[in-house]
Amino acid sequence: MPTLIDRTVPPTGGSPERGVTATTFAVLRRHRATVAGTTARVVGLCGLLALLMTAATFALAWPVFTHMRNQRIWYHHREDPYLHDHTDLALAALCALPLFLALLGTGSAALQTVCSRAVAAGTQGLSQGDRARVADRARLPPVLSVYALRGLIVWPLPLLATFVADRLTGYSLDTPEPLERGSWLHTLVEAFPVAAVSAAVLLRLALALAPAAAAAGLGPRAALRRSWSLTWTRSGFARVLALALPLTVLTTGTVRLVTQLALPLRPLVRDFLEQATGNFFAAYYAGILAPVLVGILATAAVTLPLTFTAFATLYDHLLPRTPPRCAEGSVDSTVRRT
């Protein structure tokens, strides 16, 4: 049965509540063994599965690589330059993308669950028995459902807007543009993706607390509603934005830094695979992907526990609390089970 946190008793026994940053690092320090162990297992397993899925995608796309190699040999024989078309590879990558997103969502949901339960154990005064249940696997399906529902709410509009704008304003040598360049309708359609992405970012921020709410015991739809109601308050959106901006900068900078540091892997992977397979193009694209995969995995291991713990702490701070005089009859029940 899910564990719901009763908010009628102040978590600090009457003392001033610590800020989000101080509470986040206190929770990470107190539960460092559990969080670090789960992070290592999740990131390691996701990295292994991502490597296997990438290998499977390359195997399925091998006829495309073979065609590129044969075309290169033919053009070289004619002493003409060869510029390969990567459209078929883009389609293969697009077909494999949902599997990678599902893997990323599952790993994130597992980490989110552990970090949110660590916040509950660290800030709500739970018993030692409840603290031992920080890694509550029963909350994984609701958190994963929240990720799926949030993705369906946030991302269809910008994707559709980008597709429509490209169809109506995209330039092609073979066909004229459907809309006349310079007209007000052309300008409006061309700017529509920017407006759609802005709306998606606002929606994403408004639903940023939903995984923490699901890990605390709410159902997927109730968690989304709770995040929406907590964010659109007098100070809720400002606090979510103030937390999201530095974490986004940290994540982006870490990905960039680690990817640059892993660039020496590119020629090593390319030379090894070219000698093993005899296909330059397969080795070339594998070399491009190797530093990116290392950068994503290293960034996930470093930033995701901090990010998930911080948002779970912010969710805990934004929840309304009943004054102590109204909670005299419920002091002995800081945690109720349903």
Side-chain angles (χ1 to χ4, degrees), residues 1-332:
M1 306 294 279
T3 303
L4 299 178
I5 306 302
D6 193 343
R7 307 299 304 187
T8 57
V9 180
T12 55
S15 60
E17 189 175 22
R18 290 184 294 184
V20 172
T21 302
T23 305
T24 297
F25 285 103
V27 169
L28 290 174
R29 183 171 58 253
R30 182 176 304 173
H31 298 281
R32 56 185 177 274
T34 300
V35 174
T38 303
T39 301
R41 290 192 298 270
V42 170
V43 173
L45 182 59
C46 288
L48 178 60
L49 291 177
L51 184 60
L52 294 176
M53 290 166 57
T54 303
T57 304
F58 270 64
L60 293 175
W62 200 257
V64 179
F65 292 123
T66 302
H67 176 72
M68 289 181 176
R69 183 193 61 186
N70 295 338
Q71 287 291 101
R72 183 191 185 192
I73 294 174
W74 187 71
Y75 273 86
H76 179 72
H77 178 71
R78 295 186 55 183
E79 298 182 354
D80 291 334
Y82 172 60
L83 299 176
H84 68 279
D85 184 9
H86 56 266
T87 304
D88 293 335
L89 285 180
L91 292 176
L94 189 62
C95 293
L97 183 61
L99 297 177
F100 285 93
L101 291 179
L103 178 62
L104 177 62
T106 303
S108 299
L111 275 178
Q112 178 78 69
T113 302
V114 171
C115 293
S116 297
R117 299 299 299 168
V119 171
T123 62
Q124 305 304 325
L126 300 184
S127 64
Q128 293 296 327
D130 287 323
R131 290 183 182 181
R133 297 176 63 253
V134 166
D136 188 1
R137 298 180 181 179
R139 300 313 305 163
L140 179 58
V143 176
L144 189 57
S145 299
V146 164
Y147 274 91
L149 288 176
R150 187 172 63 182
L152 292 176
I153 293 173
V154 171
W155 298 117
L157 178 60
L159 292 177
L160 179 62
T162 303
F163 176 78
V164 171
D166 180 71
R167 289 293 181 179
L168 296 180
T169 64
Y171 177 75
S172 175
L173 294 176
D174 299 329
T175 58
E177 292 183 354
L179 297 179
E180 181 182 357
R181 183 177 294 271
S183 64
W184 67 269
L185 187 57
H186 183 282
T187 304
L188 182 63
V189 173
E190 196 174 32
F192 184 49
V194 178
V197 170
S198 301
V201 170
L202 290 177
L203 278 174
R204 178 63 178 79
L205 289 173
L207 302 177
L209 303 176
L218 294 179
R221 289 182 295 179
L224 293 172
R225 291 193 297 267
R226 175 67 61 84
S227 177
W228 183 273
S229 63
L230 291 178
T231 302
W232 297 114
T233 58
R234 181 178 302 177
S235 62
F237 183 79
R239 297 183 68 177
V240 170
L241 183 62
L243 182 61
L245 284 179
L247 289 175
T248 301
V249 172
L250 174 63
T251 302
T252 305
T254 305
V255 170
R256 177 70 175 174
L257 176 62
V258 178
T259 303
Q260 289 296 318
L261 293 176
L263 283 180
L265 288 175
R266 182 171 294 176
L268 296 178
V269 172
R270 184 176 64 239
D271 294 341
F272 173 77
L273 288 181
E274 187 175 5
Q275 292 178 3
T277 64
N279 194 310
F280 166 79
F281 293 100
Y284 171 76
Y285 283 103
I288 291 177
L289 291 177
V292 177
L293 181 60
V294 172
I296 292 176
L297 292 176
T299 302
V302 173
T303 63
L304 286 187
L306 175 63
T307 300
F308 292 154
T309 305
F311 274 102
T313 303
L314 180 60
Y315 169 76
D316 179 81
H317 282 226
L318 290 178
L319 281 177
R321 292 177 173 83
T322 305
R325 57 185 177 83
C326 299
E328 294 178 355
S330 59
V331 174
D332 296 331

